[in-house]
Amino acid sequence: MALVLLRTPSSYSPPSTTTPLLPFTTACRSPSRVPSSAGHWKRVRGLRIASGSGRGLALTHADTSGDLKEIRDCCTVWKWKDFDVNYLVKGKGPPLLLVHGFGASVGHWRRNIGVLSECYTVYALDLLGFGASDKPPGFAYTMEGWAQLILDFLDEVIKKPTVLVGNSVGSLACVIAASESNGDLVRGLVLLNCAGGMNNKAVVDDWRIKLLLPLLWLFDFLLSQRVIASALFERVKQSRENLKNILLSVYGNKDAVDEDLIEIIKGPADDKGALDAFVSIVTGPPGPNPVSLMPKISIPVLVLWGDRDPFTPIDGPVGKYFSSLPSNLPNIELHVLPGVGHCPHDDRPDLVHEKLLPWLSSLPSMSEISTG
């Protein structure tokens, strides 16, 4: 995040913004306890979210982004260590758990939930400190804490072998969870532009990070000053234009940066505790490195990497490491997605679904796992 505040939009021209989808609707589970606009929880009936199978009629992103209100209304709450954790469940079939990246939430999967829920039970959660989940003041956020949240969610809520799908720091949290999982809680892993750590300090062997290290240390120092941290946070949060420019620098497909996306990022930043979460995550320990964790994982792994990622570039240390894995570890499959930025699932969902859906269908069935 320290880097994103310094970036300017790229001049890269995106590919076509049309996404081949065949629209259909599937009701989310109901009734649920969901956050209202006032921040309270209420009972609602199940609503319907537009979705698609990834084939047939060509629709624009605007047609397939889904109604954020309907996504929110399909959410419920899970109590974790006295904290409220927001999550969505939709569909029927083998379970998937979607885990967002920094600053995002359940809504960031708006272009994937409908497609995936046609054949799978889709769970998506807001990590503690993000979205509609609690943001406890003074809480020390760590990668290990998020990984434990994921493992406890699998154990207490899903209770079945699950495929974890993560983006950015959500990917890394899934890697940590899979490496620490006992038994058969995790049956597959999908990593979308996996982060090297909770913040930029994790990747110190990248020459780009080395050049910026003094600036990053200064940034950490400034964030430790409450008045300065609050002023910086408010400046980014209050200006939709600033936030849009930041998002444009992260996405390869600029047309995917719409008002819904800005609201997904901006809305939770107004919550009490959001500033504390921001400071803790940016200045805290980076956490375990995926280089030490991936060799411990023997389950099937699909890695999808946008080649226009300014944060974890494919030619950087983390990208190069993941690119080398398929030749060394037979359980890992990797695809580089051309013209795609740091958030492939929202940037070019059609390209992600094209690789993800066949890979999911190739996994052993639940009955094979139970009798295996």
Side-chain angles (χ1 to χ4, degrees), residues 6-27:
L6 304 174
R7 291 191 58 85
T8 56
S10 165
S11 60
Y12 169 68
S13 299
S16 169
T17 60
T18 57
T19 304
L21 295 174
L22 181 64
F24 70 97
T25 58
T26 305

Side-chain angles (χ1 to χ4, degrees), residues 17 27 63 69-70 104 144 227 277 292 302 307 322:
T17 60
D63 295 318
K69 181 180 182 300
E70 292 185 358
E144 295 91 336
V227 173
S292 64
L302 174 66
D307 70 353
F322 276 96

Side-chain angles (χ1 to χ4, degrees), residues 82-93:
D82 295 326
F83 301 123
D84 283 350
V85 172
N86 181 61
Y87 76 94
L88 170 146
V89 56
K90 180 175 182 286
K92 189 173 183 180

Side-chain angles (χ1 to χ4, degrees), residues 17-166:
T17 60
T18 57
T19 304
L21 295 174
L22 181 64
F24 70 97
T25 58
T26 305
C28 64
R29 295 183 180 180
S30 62
S32 300
R33 294 174 65 237
V34 303
S36 69
S37 59
H40 302 295
W41 294 92
K42 60 181 181 178
R43 303 281 292 184
V44 299
R45 295 181 178 179
L47 297 177
R48 300 169 77 84
I49 300 175
S51 51
S53 63
R55 59 185 182 275
L57 183 65
L59 301 174
T60 66
H61 275 318
D63 295 318
T64 61
S65 66
D67 185 336
L68 293 183
K69 181 180 182 300
E70 292 185 358
I71 290 178
R72 294 188 185 107
D73 286 348
C74 279
C75 289
T76 185
V77 66
W78 167 59
K79 186 68 75 172
W80 181 71
K81 297 184 177 181
D82 295 326
F83 301 123
D84 283 350
V85 172
N86 181 61
Y87 76 94
L88 170 146
V89 56
K90 180 175 182 286
K92 189 173 183 180
L96 311 176
L97 175 58
L98 313 181
V99 184
H100 62 82
F102 182 88
S105 62
V106 167
H108 206 204
W109 302 99
R110 58 194 171 140
R111 294 176 173 142
N112 317 106
I113 292 169
V115 175
L116 296 174
S117 64
E118 184 177 5
C119 298
Y120 301 93
T121 301
V122 177
Y123 294 84
L125 57 74
D126 289 341
L127 293 171
L128 197 69
F130 294 116
S133 289
D134 278 352
K135 303 166 185 66
F139 188 84
Y141 294 90
T142 65
M143 291 304 312
E144 295 91 336
W146 286 331
Q148 189 59 55
L149 184 154
I150 291 170
L151 288 173
D152 290 345
F153 187 83
L154 296 178
D155 185 50
E156 297 177 18
V157 179
I158 301 181
K159 301 179 181 179
K160 293 180 181 178
T162 301
V163 175
L164 303 181
V165 183

Side-chain angles (χ1 to χ4, degrees), residues 239-255:
S239 171
R240 297 183 77 88
E241 191 62 28
N242 284 347
L243 188 52
K244 182 177 181 180
N245 287 338
I246 290 170
L247 291 167
L248 285 170
S249 74
V250 175
Y251 276 60
N253 174 15
K254 311 307 179 188
D255 287 346

